[in-house]
Amino acid sequence: MSEYLKQEIKFLPGVGPKKADLFSSELGILTFEDLLYYFHYRFVDSSKFYRIDELTNDLPYVQIKGRILYFETVGERQGRRLIAYFSDGTSTIELVF
């Protein structure tokens, strides 16, 4: 059984060489055993959508659902950025890109 766990991750069905390189470089996963003993360091609950009026500073990862009302480009050259005005019906926020 331990020989099986020492196999390279690229031999796992659905992974392949390209995805194996990604696992290796991003997560340090090289073998089946590495994958088995990999534990996420954070959990993001993606089952709940928040309203804009519910957002607080202590919620680092949230999902909101709504519509982009319009876009605006602000600044010049290196300081130029795109601002999208987003609304969910309760409030409006700016998304800066």
Side-chain angles (χ1 to χ4, degrees):
M1 181 67 139
S2 66
E3 293 173 14
Y4 182 75
L5 294 176
K6 299 295 180 194
Q7 288 184 2
E8 292 182 40
I9 196 75
K10 69 181 175 184
F11 297 116
L12 185 67
V15 175
K18 287 185 180 180
K19 200 172 281 187
D21 289 340
L22 185 64
F23 277 125
S24 173
S25 64
E26 296 288 323
L27 304 172
I29 297 174
L30 302 171
T31 65
F32 288 8
E33 183 177 28
D34 294 340
L35 181 62
L36 185 64
Y37 289 106
Y38 176 77
F39 300 103
H40 295 282
Y41 65 93
R42 72 169 180 252
F43 173 75
V44 178
D45 181 11
S46 60
S47 65
K48 181 174 179 3
F49 288 93
Y50 289 85
R51 294 189 325 257
I52 294 172
D53 62 355
E54 295 177 320
L55 301 180
T56 61
N57 289 337
D58 62 331
L59 296 171
Y61 300 99
V62 296
Q63 291 187 118
I64 54 177
K65 192 175 183 179
R67 291 183 184 256
I68 293 179
L69 303 174
Y70 61 96
F71 294 97
E72 180 180 27
T73 304
V74 178
E76 296 180 17
R77 297 186 184 192
Q78 298 295 340
R80 195 171 176 177
R81 60 194 182 278
L82 177 67
I83 299 176
Y85 293 88
F86 179 89
S87 176
D88 66 354
T90 64
S91 196
T92 303
I93 61 171
E94 295 178 353
L95 307 175
V96 181
F97 301 94

